[in-house]
Amino acid sequence: MKKKINTLLFIILICSSFSSYAQQVIPASKFEIQGKPFENTPRYHRVDTLKYKSLPAAVKKLYTHATGMYVTFKSNTGKLSLRWKTVDAELGNNSTPIMSRGFDAYVKEANGWRFAGVARPDLKKAESNAIVVEDMANTEKEFLLYFPLYKELLDFEVIIDEKASFLATRQSFNKTVVVYGSSIVHGASASRPGLAYPAQLGRRLNANVINMGVSGNARMEPAVADMLGDIGTVDLFILDCVPNSSPEEVKERTFNFVARLRKSHPGVPILLIESITREISNYNLKWKSRLTEQNKNFRLQYEKLLQAGYKDLYYLPTDHLIGDDSEGTVDGTHPTDVGFERMLKIIGAKVGAILHD
């Protein structure tokens, strides 16, 4: 009998020891998903592709990616972890696993959001479990978690200390900016989600920046213009779609695309950004000719729009966007974090001036 009692006490002691390390799991349903262009889309899709049936198939698939979405919450936890699942574990050949399938976290400070840590995805399985940051002071902090950029996210859970406080929050912004564009807008090749230039732009200007990048498929189709036109209140549209459009498509589609946006959002400023100088064109004459024709045609269409009486149009040339030292990209096309920082210096100043006006 005494032996049984001692065994029972030992089990109780072991259990109480484990309980000090117990955690509470916060399901996705407890958060308010932010950075979405539309409400009531399936899962963490940016667009309800069943509603917009005329979108090209590749565009539909890319809009299932959770690109640009995030959650914010307050907690005094000393440790922050994540469990999540993406549609698969595949990775691109010019991106980091963290950018493509992982998360990164920021904490709000008096002077803005400060990087706190990343959730590294499992390289073989679609399900991942990772510590984001630990050994923090048990003071209340407001966290921001950016979702994976290049994957369809199926579900996620936030894990905090067992007795930690938790309060889901929603950020308040005065301005909403919609960025439509290529893989560069989508986030390639930032090292992590929060360094994609739309995310950086949002933090820098305290604006609700909605990422509508579609890697390799930003070609200004009428159906895309109509879908973007259905987004509610918008203070600025940014069109950074030249890299994916052939010189002929730029010539044939730019005017109509802008006209359709203007019809749905009269008076809303539209910023047209030329393609960055592809460093691959330093010696590749075919790419150099394509880039020159793309940007030349884009400028001509912008001038045509002005001549036709369209107002509130702005333009950014390719000059200096990723610097002039040929060190701003990972593969001659997609910016590194350094390249994105250089882009932000110019684009951020332009966007800030437009929103101020």
Side-chain angles (χ1 to χ4, degrees), residues 19-271:
S19 68
S20 67
Y21 294 95
Q23 300 165 316
Q24 54 177 310
V25 177
I26 313 298
S29 59
K30 297 294 184 180
F31 297 90
E32 187 164 358
I33 310 302
Q34 299 166 72
K36 295 181 70 171
F38 302 102
E39 298 299 326
N40 303 317
T41 57
R43 291 181 180 148
Y44 310 105
H45 297 182
R46 289 177 284 172
V47 174
D48 184 348
T49 55
L50 292 178
K51 178 179 179 181
Y52 295 97
K53 297 180 180 179
S54 298
L55 294 175
V59 171
K60 287 183 181 179
K61 182 176 181 181
L62 290 165
Y63 279 139
T64 67
H65 294 177
T67 313
M69 296 184 196
Y70 57 92
V71 294
T72 57
F73 62 96
K74 291 181 178 180
S75 178
N76 62 357
T77 186
K79 182 178 180 180
L80 175 64
S81 302
L82 281 172
R83 281 200 296 260
W84 73 101
K85 183 177 181 179
T86 53
V87 69
D88 57 49
E90 295 179 2
L91 296 170
N93 60 13
N94 65 348
S95 61
T96 71
I98 296 171
M99 178 276 279
S100 179
R101 294 183 48 235
F103 291 71
D104 59 355
Y106 289 75
V107 170
K108 183 177 283 187
E109 300 287 356
N111 60 347
W113 294 99
R114 185 182 187 189
F115 172 71
V118 299
R120 304 170 189 264
D122 191 294
L123 297 181
K124 296 181 179 179
K125 298 185 296 185
E127 300 89 354
S128 298
N129 189 335
I131 297 171
V132 180
V133 56
E134 57 187 338
D135 299 322
M136 293 183 287
N138 295 117
T139 54
E140 185 180 71
K141 294 170 282 295
E142 185 166 20
F143 295 91
L144 181 157
L145 285 174
Y146 284 110
F147 289 4
L149 292 182
Y150 263 81
K151 280 296 169 188
E152 180 182 358
L153 179 65
L154 300 182
D155 200 9
F156 73 95
E157 295 174 332
V158 171
I159 304 167
I160 59 177
D161 296 342
E162 182 184 27
K163 296 182 180 180
S165 62
F166 172 80
L167 176 66
T169 61
R170 181 174 182 84
Q171 301 308 301
S172 178
F173 303 109
N174 294 322
K175 302 291 184 180
T176 296
V177 178
V178 175
V179 191
Y180 168 66
S182 66
S183 54
I184 295 171
V185 172
H186 202 136
S189 292
S191 59
R192 48 188 173 83
L195 293 181
Y197 95 69
Q200 290 199 62
L201 186 64
R203 294 196 305 277
R204 185 167 299 190
L205 300 179
N206 190 36
N208 179 28
V209 178
I210 296 173
N211 188 326
M212 297 302 286
V214 277
S215 182
N217 287 274
R219 297 194 176 95
M220 296 186 284
E221 297 91 346
V224 174
D226 293 342
M227 178 273 294
L228 294 175
D230 284 345
I231 298 175
T233 302
V234 179
D235 298 288
L236 171 66
F237 283 103
I238 298 177
L239 304 185
D240 188 358
C241 46
V242 175
N244 291 159
S245 303
S246 69
E248 294 74 23
E249 287 171 336
V250 172
K251 182 178 180 180
E252 295 168 0
R253 297 180 179 182
T254 302
F255 190 100
N256 182 56
F257 196 87
V258 172
R260 293 176 96 98
L261 276 183
R262 175 59 73 240
K263 184 177 180 180
S264 62
H265 288 272
V268 173
I270 300 174
L271 171 62

